[in-house]
Amino acid sequence: MIFLFYFLSAIMIISALLVVLSRSPINSVIFLIICFIAMAGHYILLNAQFLAVVHIIVYTGAIMVLFLFVIMLLNLNKANIPQKTSLTRIAAVVTAGLFFLVILAATRHTFEFHARYAFNSNIGLVSDVGKVLFHEFLLPFEISSILFISSMIGAVMFGKRDVKEL
Amino acid sequence: MKEITSAIQLIPLEHYILLSVALFSIGLLGVLFRRNTIIILMCIELMFNSVNLLLTAFSAYHSDPAAQVFVFFIMIVAAAEVAVGLSILVMMKRNVDSVDINLLNRLKW
C-alpha cells in the first residue's frame, strides 16, 4: 500500500512535467488526464471516496472534455506559437525551482503535527461529507449555484459574436 | 478497505506536502514557461489540484471532514473558472486568430 503512494506520485510528477514540456496541446491534455486519474487514486488511498468520484466526474469527465472540444473545434493543435526566448525560459525554471525550495523549507520543520480529532477513517464517505455539507455549509453551497449561473451567462455572452445580436 | 485506511498512517504527512509543493511548482513553471494560452489554463488546473490534494491529506490526517467540503467548493469554482477562461480563449482566437499570450501584453500596463 505504501508502494502504491509512491507509484502514483511518480506518475503524477512525470505526467505533470510532460504537460508542460510536450509540443502539441492534445498531448498535454492527455497527460493532464493521466495526472488527474492518478490523483483520484490518491483520494482513494486517503479514503476520500466522495472526492475521488467527484474528481473523476468533474475533472476528467467535464473539464478535460471541454479542453479537448475547444482544441478540436478551433483547430489549435497545429498552432505555430513561437517558444519564449531561452533567457525567459531559464528565468522561469529558476523561479519555479526557487519557489519549490522556499515553500518546502518554510513548511519543513516549522510545525509539529498534532491530530485535531481522534482518528476516524469514515470522514471521506458520502454520508459524512454530506452531513457536513448540508448542515454547516448549506449557505455557501446555495450561493455557489449563483456563481455557476453567472459564469454560465458570462460564457454565453463571451461566445456571442456581438452583443447586439441578442 | 481496512488495509488502505491503516496504511495511510504509515505515510508521513511531509510526503504529501512535498508532492503538493512539487505539483504546484510544476504548474507555476508551466505558466511562466509557455506562450500557449490553453496550456497556461491547464497549468492553472494543475495548481488547483495540488492544493486540493493537500487539503484532502490534512483532512484525512486530522479526521476533520470540513476540509473535504472545502475541496468540493474549490472544484465548483474551478469548473466555473474553466468555462469563463475557455470562452475568453475562443473570443481571443476569433478576434486576433491566435492563442499566443504575448498578444495580450497590453493588459500588463
Side-chain angles (χ1 to χ4, degrees):
Chain A
M1 284 301 168
I2 298 176
F3 158 74
L4 212 55
F5 171 81
Y6 296 105
F7 179 65
L8 288 173
S9 306
I11 290 179
M12 278 177 72
I13 298 282
I14 291 169
S15 58
L17 277 174
L18 285 171
V19 169
V20 176
L21 297 177
S22 65
R23 287 255 164 209
S24 80
I26 291 275
N27 287 348
S28 288
V29 171
I30 300 294
F31 286 125
L32 199 56
I33 289 173
I34 293 171
C35 184
F36 283 169
I37 288 173
M39 187 169 277
H42 268 300
Y43 286 145
I44 292 171
L45 270 184
L46 287 165
N47 211 13
Q49 297 169 8
F50 172 71
L51 282 184
V53 173
V54 169
H55 187 267
I56 289 276
I57 292 173
V58 170
Y59 276 101
T60 9
I63 291 180
M64 286 298 112
V65 171
L66 207 61
F67 271 106
L68 274 179
F69 262 142
V70 168
I71 289 173
M72 286 175 179
L73 284 179
L74 296 183
N75 205 7
L76 294 178
N77 207 21
K78 299 194 290 286
N80 288 319
I81 293 175
Q83 297 264 319
K84 284 192 171 174
T85 61
S86 55
L87 180 66
T88 320
R89 281 192 283 169
I90 291 169
V93 173
V94 169
T95 309
L98 282 180
F99 178 83
F100 177 69
L101 284 180
V102 166
I103 299 291
L104 205 62
T107 56
R108 192 81 183 150
H109 293 298
T110 46
F111 66 91
E112 289 184 12
F113 178 72
H114 301 293
R116 179 97 189 277
Y117 300 108
F119 183 70
N120 176 12
S121 63
N122 291 331
I123 56 156
L125 304 187
V126 180
S127 62
D128 282 41
V129 175
K131 271 176 200 154
V132 177
L133 182 60
F134 288 111
H135 280 156
E136 297 169 40
F137 295 95
L138 184 61
L139 184 64
F141 180 72
E142 298 292 342
I143 289 174
S144 68
S145 67
I146 299 175
L147 172 76
F148 250 130
I149 200 158
S150 59
S151 82
M152 195 178 79
I153 293 169
V156 171
M157 290 293 282
F158 274 133
K160 282 274 176 194
R161 207 166 272 276
D162 193 356
V163 182
K164 287 178 193 124
E165 281 177 23
L166 292 170
Chain B
M1 203 43 78
K2 261 292 188 262
E3 302 162 33
I4 292 179
T5 52
S6 58
I8 277 307
Q9 295 175 300
L10 298 177
I11 301 168
L13 188 61
E14 277 82 16
H15 292 193
Y16 277 104
I17 295 177
L18 181 67
L19 176 65
S20 301
V21 175
L23 278 177
F24 196 93
S25 308
I26 292 172
L28 183 69
L29 174 73
V31 170
L32 296 172
F33 196 84
R34 299 295 300 255
R35 280 172 67 173
N36 196 337
T37 310
I38 202 157
I39 293 181
I40 289 176
L41 275 175
M42 281 193 262
C43 290
I44 290 173
E45 289 304 308
L46 203 61
M47 287 152 88
F48 265 125
N49 274 286
S50 71
V51 175
N52 280 351
L53 179 64
L54 192 57
L55 264 177
T56 314
F58 276 129
S59 146
Y61 278 74
H62 281 286
S63 301
D64 190 352
Q68 304 206 356
V69 179
F70 268 81
V71 172
F72 184 64
F73 283 130
I74 292 174
M75 282 177 182
I76 290 173
V77 173
E81 174 254 339
V82 162
V84 175
L86 283 176
S87 63
I88 289 175
L89 184 119
V90 169
M91 204 175 64
M92 181 180 168
K93 171 80 176 171
R94 191 185 287 155
N95 283 339
V96 296
D97 195 28
S98 172
V99 286
D100 189 353
I101 198 77
N102 277 21
L103 291 173
L104 295 181
N105 61 358
R106 255 182 281 172
L107 288 175
K108 281 195 286 193
W109 39 66

